[in-house]
Amino acid sequence: MKITLNGAPTDVKAETLAAALDELGYADAKVATALNERFVPSAARADAVLSPGDRIEVVAPQQGG
Amino acid sequence: MRLYGTEITSRLMLGTAQYPSPAVLADAFQRSGAGIATVSVRREAGAERAGAAFWSLVRELGVTLLPNTAGCHSVKEAVTTAQMARELFDTAWIKLEVIGHADTLQPDPFGLVEAARILTGEGFRVFPYTTEDVVLADRLLDAGCEVLMPWGAPIGTGLGLTNIYGLRTLRAQFSDVPMVVDAGLGLPSHAAMAMEMGFDAVLLNTAVAKAGDPAAMAEGFAHAVQAGRLAWQADPMEPRDMAAPSTPVIGRAFLE
């Protein structure tokens, strides 16, 4: 299905957020996620079912002021 | 100094952005003696792992981490960013930025109070990036903030304390609230002035990271913060307009 990953159109076969992260190369990465602008804790990703058009944000630690 | 129940020994807080290299960042932190480092979150691509590299770098600094919501312009964005930062950095501390103006990066006071109330309700320890406005400070305290972070000047300008009167008033109005002057400092003298006025700490980034020698500047700021703190504790003299001789005049030799 077509989703948006960090603002870019992306195709995934996965049906959950957890599976999508595996499919997109984030397995074991230190990241936090949001689905349609709502935070999804890591423990809830396996239960977060994706729908076409969903917007996923994946963030990691970065430098900040 | 206690911030949300945590004892912090250094009154200098340092950002982690814009350094020429990770090695320079680590050197600057070591010479600054900073006890708190600000960090952020950003989008990461699938195979990138930049976040993991930065994570191991900041953990080696051995300092307390204060994630921010830099770049957020709405309450929703700031709240979601804070929630993601809490999970990533495993801390309830959040430097809350809700930006209201693109050119000045001035906080949106209305959004800031709303976001502070939501995050406090969710158990966050909120460090709001605010202005010197005393009414806004009062609202932030009502919203559950126990620390305030008034700006010295707009972020990244290096202008120093642009509203001395406002900052002095804020400090006097809430004398028991820990306050960190955050943003706009360019020189150690600016930090010393903030500390001389009774602020509890300063937070800076660009002034150190963009100096020709960041580590030396970091050490300069460390000395300035200590000097300013000592001056505040030492109860400075009152300035006066007319000269007053410091050398005793009684007993002066008559040589005319």
Side-chain angles (χ1 to χ4, degrees), chain A residues 25-26 42 57 60 62 64-65, chain B residues 16 40 42-44 46 68 87-88:
Chain A
Y26 292 104
S42 58
E57 292 287 327
Q62 264 277 11
Chain B
T16 55
S40 191
R42 284 293 179 273
R43 285 171 168 174
E44 176 148 290
N68 69 27
E87 183 176 274
L88 273 180

Side-chain angles (χ1 to χ4, degrees), chain B residues 7-63:
Chain B
E7 187 65 31
I8 302 292
T9 50
S10 172
R11 292 174 183 273
L12 176 57
M13 300 159 68
L14 201 52
T16 55
Q18 307 183 82
Y19 293 83
S21 72
V24 173
L25 184 160
D27 200 15
F29 264 85
Q30 198 203 344
R31 287 177 67 180
S32 74
I36 292 177
T38 50
V39 291
S40 191
V41 304
R42 284 293 179 273
R43 285 171 168 174
E44 176 148 290
E48 199 178 350
R49 301 293 189 273
F54 177 68
W55 174 241
S56 61
L57 173 71
V58 292
R59 282 178 57 174
E60 284 169 17
L61 297 175
V63 296

Side-chain angles (χ1 to χ4, degrees), chain A residues 1 5-6 11-12 16 19 21 28 31 36 40 43-44 48-49 51 59 62:
Chain A
M1 75 181 94
L5 171 68
N6 286 344
D11 268 314
V12 291
T16 66
L21 289 181
D28 73 29
V31 292
N36 299 326
V40 180
V49 177
S51 304
V59 300
Q62 264 277 11

